[in-house]
Structures are given as C-alpha cells and as structure tokens.
C-alpha cells in the first residue's frame, strides 16, 4: 500500500470525524468519490485492531415493589451480551449477587 496515499486518507477520515457531516455530504464538499471513501473506510476498519472498552457499571437506585405500577411487563437490564429481566417482587439481594458475579466485584 502506498504510505502517502494511506496518510492522505487517514487525514481525510480525521476531517470527516470532526465535520459532523454524513459520508455523502462530506464527499460532496471535498469532491471525493463516495465509493472510494467507503473503500478506504472499510480498508482501515479491517486493518485496525479493535480494542474493547472496559465495562463500566452504574449505580442503580431500586424502588420497592409496592410503588411499581400494576403492569406485568418486566424491566430488562442489558449490558454487553447479558440481559437480566427484573419482575415485580424481585429479590434485591439476588439481583446484587447476580451483578457481583457478572462484574467480578
């Protein structure tokens, strides 16, 4: 791959990232062929190793079940690939144990 050409496209993607424009609008404004833009974007995405960001947990204030509405729909908590459904009358202690097991804390 041509290092100069690669550097040019990296700089274009930096400009694109800070532009706030859609891909098509950016290409129109810079007189770039849209198909080339997509080609280089895919090329960089495939060559750049993806480093997963660390999981961040947030504090959750739990409201006692007596104050919930009468709706039978459970609350779903999703984090990464894990979904936890919390139904009315759930065990707060059990939920804490599950969250500790998932976070390792």
């Amino acid at each position: 791959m041509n290092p100069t050409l690669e550097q040019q496209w990296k700089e274009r993607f930096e400009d694109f990232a800070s532009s706030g424009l859609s891909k098509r609008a950016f290409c129109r404004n810079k007189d770039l062929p849209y198909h080339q833009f997509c080609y280089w974007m895919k090329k960089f995405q495939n060559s750049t190793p993806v480093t997963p960001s660390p999981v961040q947990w947030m504090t959750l204030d739990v409201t006692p079940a007596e104050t919930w509405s009468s709706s039978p729909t459970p609350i779903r908590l999703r984090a990464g690939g894990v979904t936890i459904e919390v139904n009315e009358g759930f065990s707060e202690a059990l939920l804490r144990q599950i969250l500790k097991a998932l976070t390792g804390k």
Side-chain angles (χ1 to χ4, degrees):
M1 186 180 335
N2 181 339
T4 305
L5 188 58
E6 183 178 346
Q7 184 58 39
Q8 283 178 335
W9 278 100
K10 283 185 180 182
E11 290 170 6
R12 288 174 179 153
F13 287 121
E14 289 172 6
D15 290 345
F16 167 69
S18 63
S19 73
L21 298 171
S22 69
K23 290 187 269 187
R24 288 199 184 275
F26 181 80
C27 289
R28 246 190 325 271
N29 287 351
K30 300 290 184 177
D31 292 324
L32 297 170
Y34 180 73
H35 70 278
Q36 283 184 5
F37 184 89
C38 293
Y39 166 84
W40 280 96
M41 180 175 270
K42 187 174 183 177
K43 192 172 188 79
F44 286 132
Q45 287 172 342
N46 290 339
S47 67
T48 305
V50 176
T51 306
S53 59
V55 174
Q56 296 181 1
W57 293 91
M58 60 184 261
T59 303
L60 177 65
D61 292 324
V62 180
T63 305
E66 305 87 54
T67 62
W68 287 15
S69 70
S70 60
S71 172
T73 305
I75 295 174
R76 289 184 182 92
L77 306 171
R78 293 188 180 136
V82 177
T83 301
I84 300 172
E85 287 191 9
V86 179
N87 292 300
E88 186 174 345
F90 72 97
S91 166
E92 185 177 339
L94 178 59
L95 180 58
R96 285 182 196 273
Q97 289 175 348
I98 292 169
L99 292 174
K100 280 183 182 180
L102 290 172
T103 62
K105 293 180 181 179

